[in-house]
Amino acid sequence: FVAGLRAGFQFNTFPTMAGALIPPGMGGDSMLAALTSNPVTVQFLHRWLELAVVAAALLHWLRFRRHPGLASATRWLAGLALAQFALGILTMLRLPASPVFWGTAHQFGALALLTAALAVLFRASDSSPSTPAPASGIRATSSAAHSGG
C-alpha cells in the first residue's frame, strides 16, 4: 500500500511525521478506508509495524541465540530486521532524490527478511522432537500394561 499510495512522499522525516509522533490527517470515513487509502495512516502503520517486527526479531534472537538449531537463523533474522529498518529510514530520507532505487532496495530488503523468517520457522519445525506427543485425552501405555505383566 505504501508504494501504491506514494505514502513515502508524504513525510520524509524520522522519527516524527509533520513534527509529531502521531501525525495530523490520519483516519478516514471508515477503518478499512483509512487502512487502505489514506497515505498518512498507511505510512504511520508501516513505521510502527516495522518497529514491532524489529522487536520480535530481537526477542527471538535473545531467546534462541544459544539454541543449536536456531542460533544462526535467528541471528540472520535479527540482523536483517535491523538492516531493513535502517534501509526504510534511508529510503524515506533519500526517496525524493531517487525513488525507484530506494523503493526497490527496500522491497528486496523485505524479501530477504521474509526469507529469514521462513528459515527460522523451517528450522524451528525441524528441531522439534522426532517423536510426536500423544494426542490429548490418549494416554501412552506400554505393551507390558496390556499383557497383564
Side-chain angles (χ1 to χ4, degrees), residues 2-70:
V2 174
L5 292 172
R6 299 179 60 81
F9 290 98
Q10 297 289 317
F11 301 100
N12 294 92
T13 58
F14 186 84
T16 62
M17 296 171 67
L21 287 176
I22 300 175
M26 283 186 40
D29 294 336
S30 70
M31 177 75 79
L32 182 61
L35 293 174
T36 59
S37 62
N38 183 328
V40 177
T41 303
V42 169
Q43 188 181 140
F44 177 80
L45 292 175
H46 186 83
R47 290 178 182 206
W48 285 98
L49 177 63
E50 180 55 27
L51 286 171
V53 168
V54 167
L58 289 173
L59 288 173
H60 272 78
W61 173 72
L62 285 172
R63 169 69 175 90
F64 296 108
R65 69 183 182 270
R66 291 187 180 92
H67 189 282
L70 295 174

Side-chain angles (χ1 to χ4, degrees), residues 67-74 117-128:
H67 189 282
L70 295 174
S72 176
T74 56
L118 291 173
V120 168
L121 184 63
F122 176 77
R123 288 192 179 220
S125 67
D126 194 39
S127 67
S128 63

Side-chain angles (χ1 to χ4, degrees), residues 80 84 87 100-115:
L80 284 169
Q84 177 67 352
L87 186 57
V100 173
F101 172 79
W102 289 104
T104 303
H106 192 52
Q107 292 291 327
F108 275 113
L111 183 60
L113 183 57
L114 175 63
T115 302

